[in-house]
Amino acid sequence: MSASVLVAPVRTDAELEEALKRIDELFGAPEGTAEFDEFDILTILVHDYELKRHPVGPSEPAAALRHYLDRMELSSKDLEPHVGTKSMVSMVLNGRRPLTVKMIPNLHGGLKIPLALLAGSGCR
């Protein structure tokens, strides 16, 4: 990890909003950079805070993704380039597999799915 990465725990909803803004700013940072490390750490901190303060049931991210696909008139096949194989997409949409830290920026960047929907989705 780069020594220049400086982050702090997320303890309030205001800090959560700031962390989400910073995650959005860091989106797309190249792997191996301090910015990528900061992005990675912030997503973990946001996830931890939201689990404690705003718990989300395991099926909610899947339902939100299905709703988003329906509203945008997309199919599950449209998720494959951003999530992985057809079976991985199926597992995510059925709530059997959480979104990963890698899937979140892929979905946000590729399909413009809001980070707030994705970052608090029980990612691993």
Side-chain angles (χ1 to χ4, degrees):
M1 183 168 105
S2 173
S4 64
V5 175
L6 179 63
V7 294
V10 176
R11 294 186 178 113
T12 66
D13 284 343
E15 291 173 349
L16 173 66
E17 290 305 313
E18 288 302 312
L20 290 173
K21 285 179 194 173
R22 184 64 180 149
I23 286 170
D24 202 29
E25 291 169 6
L26 294 167
F27 172 76
E31 209 168 326
T33 65
E35 290 81 10
F36 182 84
D37 288 346
E38 184 180 357
F39 173 84
D40 200 24
I41 293 167
L42 282 172
T43 58
I44 293 166
L45 293 172
V46 164
H47 172 66
D48 183 60
Y49 176 80
E50 288 192 341
L51 280 177
K52 291 177 185 171
R53 301 292 177 133
H54 308 287
V56 177
S59 64
E60 188 170 323
L65 276 176
R66 286 192 307 273
H67 177 74
Y68 185 87
L69 290 176
D70 186 51
R71 283 193 62 179
M72 301 307 291
E73 297 181 4
L74 300 171
S75 71
S76 59
K77 186 158 184 68
D78 294 308
L79 293 178
E80 288 178 28
H82 313 288
V83 172
T85 64
K86 182 179 180 177
S87 62
M88 181 67 74
V89 170
S90 176
M91 288 189 291
V92 167
L93 289 176
N94 290 312
R96 294 189 323 259
R97 169 111 175 136
L99 291 174
T100 65
V101 172
K102 187 173 182 177
M103 290 175 192
I104 291 170
N106 288 347
L107 289 165
H108 175 68
L111 297 177
K112 306 300 182 221
I113 298 175
L115 279 175
L117 182 138
L118 301 170
S121 64
C123 64
R124 289 188 191 171

